[in-house]
Amino acid sequence: MEIGRSVRREAYVRKARAELGSLVERGVLMAGNAFSSVLLLKGLPNEAERTGAAPLSGADGKALRAALSALGYAPEDWCALLTVDAQGLPLDAALLREAICTLDPATLIACDDASAQLVREAYADTLFTLDDFEAAMLLPGRETQVLGMRVMALDGFEAALSDPHQKQIMWARLKRLPPLGAPY
């Protein structure tokens, strides 16, 4: 019985490596734990990220990880993805959707308007069916269910770090996304 589990586990790992490798080959820039429940999207990279630093490796990433930890997420329970490629061009909406599906997060957080806009494009067919206009438009601070994922746009998280009032707004938004309980 244990051998069967081990073989299955290895098959899952090989599949994940192949899928993630394919995304990287096509220009997707990611960091963190690919098996985490939280995916952080950023569409406006800072100078360090534009010159090769890992997504959300700066002050904004540190603040987001601290916020997630304060909410009860495990320290390793995050993955970051830029919605632009190494040249700064927006990812194709289909490629972003594939990346999100590959990572399969329970919670998707768009940290800025550029990433939220690309999520709107990638999931337009699903968002269009929602009865709630604010949810369908992914308005900042509004939790939306999209194909089984909780999705929230923060709108300018990195810029908010320099303004105490805006930081409070971001914290209030993030508090709406506590870790999900076990599905049983």
Side-chain angles (χ1 to χ4, degrees):
M1 188 70 125
E2 185 61 35
I3 292 173
R5 281 188 219 162
S6 177
V7 170
R8 240 188 333 238
R9 193 172 317 139
E10 272 303 310
Y12 289 140
V13 170
R14 280 193 310 275
K15 178 182 181 289
R17 281 189 183 133
E19 290 173 344
L20 293 170
S22 173
L23 292 171
V24 169
E25 287 172 7
R26 291 180 284 155
V28 177
L29 302 171
M30 300 176 277
N33 177 1
F35 297 105
S36 66
S37 67
V38 178
L39 176 57
L40 305 166
L41 299 179
K42 185 174 180 182
L44 300 172
N46 58 36
E47 183 60 35
E49 292 161 333
R50 281 192 297 273
T51 57
L56 290 165
S57 59
D60 55 342
K62 182 178 179 183
L64 281 164
R65 289 188 296 279
L68 291 174
S69 180
L71 291 171
Y73 289 91
E76 70 282 355
D77 197 14
W78 63 274
C79 185
L81 187 148
L82 292 182
T83 61
V84 296
D85 62 18
Q87 288 72 43
L89 299 172
L91 296 177
D92 175 75
L95 179 58
L96 177 66
R97 187 170 176 151
E98 180 183 341
I100 292 169
C101 288
T102 298
L103 295 167
D104 193 26
T107 303
L108 177 73
I109 300 172
C111 297
D112 51 34
D113 189 54
S115 60
Q117 180 55 40
L118 197 54
V119 171
R120 284 183 204 102
E121 291 174 33
Y123 289 94
D125 60 335
T126 302
L127 293 170
F128 176 75
T129 66
L130 299 178
D131 292 332
D132 183 335
F133 179 76
E134 290 182 3
M137 293 305 296
L138 298 178
L139 292 183
R142 174 63 188 241
E143 180 185 336
T144 304
Q145 289 290 321
V146 178
L147 299 176
M149 289 182 297
R150 295 185 301 176
V151 178
M152 181 180 286
L154 295 179
D155 191 31
F157 184 84
E158 187 171 28
L161 295 178
S162 62
D163 180 332
H165 178 68
Q166 289 299 313
K167 277 174 65 171
Q168 289 178 339
I169 291 170
M170 294 300 156
W171 175 238
R173 290 176 180 169
L174 286 167
K175 287 194 304 188
R176 296 182 194 145
L177 300 170
L180 296 171
Y184 49 84

